[in-house]
């Protein structure tokens, strides 16, 4: 597989300058037009303001791109038929010449192959509720168990089974640390209600853990830096609990199953919180992108 790296990303990696990987699913599938392109450009600008180079990742015409120019970003944002690609879909997309936006797992894989060590996203996928019945678990977890990358996120989506996800990450050997907190964040919420065992407080501390990972060698697993959305920007917890309960009931009543569950629940939250859940989501992503850039800079300094 030949990765297509933008000249800016290639030059930054060769010069050991900080680079931050960004997923493209939020552009193609997470936001309405034209806001999606505005947010994509805003996130890239935030990375640059912190002194790092953004590397938004997508597959275009069967070629994996690490770093997109403005025309390519516009294509991902506006073109109909852009697929949603997990890492399992990459061989199919590449061989068929398809175009697609990359999810967490596909972005992490392509970033690692390109030599980009830090990746910023919103919330991870995880173990779904009623796992004992459905056996439904995000591919993010298995991929992160075998990919050396640092993922800055706001925890896992609160529609998931958070304690089961934390247990699964422990079983898979994926390191998890709260950033400035001993509580695991809940995506829309600053605190999911569950603790984390380790707390890191500066980008330099995160970079130190990354170096320790390399010194230890195998296994090639990820480091998850769980960065909570600020309390003043989180979704009001009582509203979140009430709307999520309604969403889960509606999901059951309408017989929604499988891959359709997550988009159904997220859409329900957006509509029944008057967009407040989307605002909290974007606040989390913005904070994660800036922190990731600072971590990448600390990592680059060696």
């Amino acid at each position: 597989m030949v990765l297509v790296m933008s000249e800016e990303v290639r030059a930054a990696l060769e010069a050991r300058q900080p680079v931050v990987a960004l997923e493209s699913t939020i552009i193609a599938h997470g936001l309405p037009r034209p806001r999606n392109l505005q947010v994509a450009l805003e996130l890239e600008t935030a990375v640059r303001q912190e002194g790092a180079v953004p590397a938004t990742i997508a597959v275009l015409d069967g070629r994996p791109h690490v770093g997109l120019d403005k025309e390519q970003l516009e294509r991902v944002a506006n073109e109909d038929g852009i697929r949603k690609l997990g890492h399992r879909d990459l061989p199919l997309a590449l061989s068929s010449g398809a175009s697609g936006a990359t999810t967490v797992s596909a972005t992490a894989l392509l970033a690692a192959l390109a030599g980009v060590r830090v990746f910023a996203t919103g919330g991870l996928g995880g173990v779904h509720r009623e796992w004992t019945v459905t056996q439904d678990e995000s591919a993010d977890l298995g991929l992160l168990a075998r990919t050396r990358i640092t993922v800055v996120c706001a925890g896992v989506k609160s529609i998931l089974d958070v304690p089961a996800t934390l247990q699964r990450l422990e079983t898979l050997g994926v390191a998890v640390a709260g950033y400035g907190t001993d509580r695991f964040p809940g995506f829309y919420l600053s605190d999911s209600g569950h603790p984390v065992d380790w707390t890191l407080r500066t980008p330099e501390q995160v970079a130190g853990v990354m170096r320790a990972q390399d010194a230890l060698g195998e296994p090639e697993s990820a480091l998850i830096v769980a960065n909570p959305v600020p309390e003043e920007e989180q979704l009001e917890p009582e509203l979140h609990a009430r709307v999520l309960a309604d969403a889960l009931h509606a999901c059951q009543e309408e017989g929604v199953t499988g891959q359709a569950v997550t988009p159904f629940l997220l859409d329900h939250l957006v509509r029944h919180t008057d967009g407040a859940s989307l605002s909290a989501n974007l606040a989390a992503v913005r904070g994660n992108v800036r922190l990731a850039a600072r971590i990448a800079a600390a990592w680059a300094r060696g």
Side-chain angles (χ1 to χ4, degrees), residues 4-65:
V4 181
M5 281 193 280
S6 70
E7 288 301 317
E8 183 184 26
V9 170
R10 185 183 303 278
L13 290 173
E14 289 176 351
R16 294 188 57 81
Q17 294 175 342
V19 179
V20 175
L22 303 172
E23 67 170 286
S24 50
T25 295
I26 189 173
I27 307 171
H29 303 287
L31 296 167
R33 301 169 183 168
R35 193 176 186 189
N36 56 348
L37 179 59
Q38 295 167 355
V39 169
L41 295 170
E42 176 192 341
L43 296 180
E44 290 209 341
T45 298
V47 172
R48 297 185 197 283
Q49 289 174 341
E50 297 293 339
V53 171
T56 302
I57 294 177
V59 175
L60 298 174
D61 303 317
R63 304 179 74 193
H65 287 254

Side-chain angles (χ1 to χ4, degrees), residues 79-99:
E79 185 175 297
D80 293 331
I82 294 286
R83 300 182 68 114
K84 185 176 182 179
L85 305 177
H87 73 278
R88 71 167 189 171
D89 303 307
L90 290 175
L92 295 159
L94 269 56
S95 64
S96 64
S99 296

Side-chain angles (χ1 to χ4, degrees), residues 186-236:
F187 192 44
Y188 301 121
L189 304 175
S190 300
D191 182 356
S192 70
H194 302 278
V196 290
D197 294 328
W198 297 93
T199 301
L200 300 171
R201 301 192 181 279
T202 66
E204 289 73 22
Q205 287 183 341
V206 179
V209 175
M210 294 162 64
R211 294 186 191 101
Q213 283 182 311
D214 289 348
L216 287 168
E218 296 291 341
E220 290 284 327
S221 58
L223 168 63
I224 294 175
V225 179
N227 181 40
V229 63
E231 285 190 16
E232 63 273 16
E233 295 185 283
Q234 71 174 342
L235 183 60
E236 200 281 316

Side-chain angles (χ1 to χ4, degrees), residues 69-83:
D69 60 28
K70 189 171 185 293
E71 183 178 328
Q72 291 167 332
L73 280 173
E74 290 173 349
R75 182 178 172 189
V76 172
N78 297 322
E79 185 175 297
D80 293 331
I82 294 286
R83 300 182 68 114

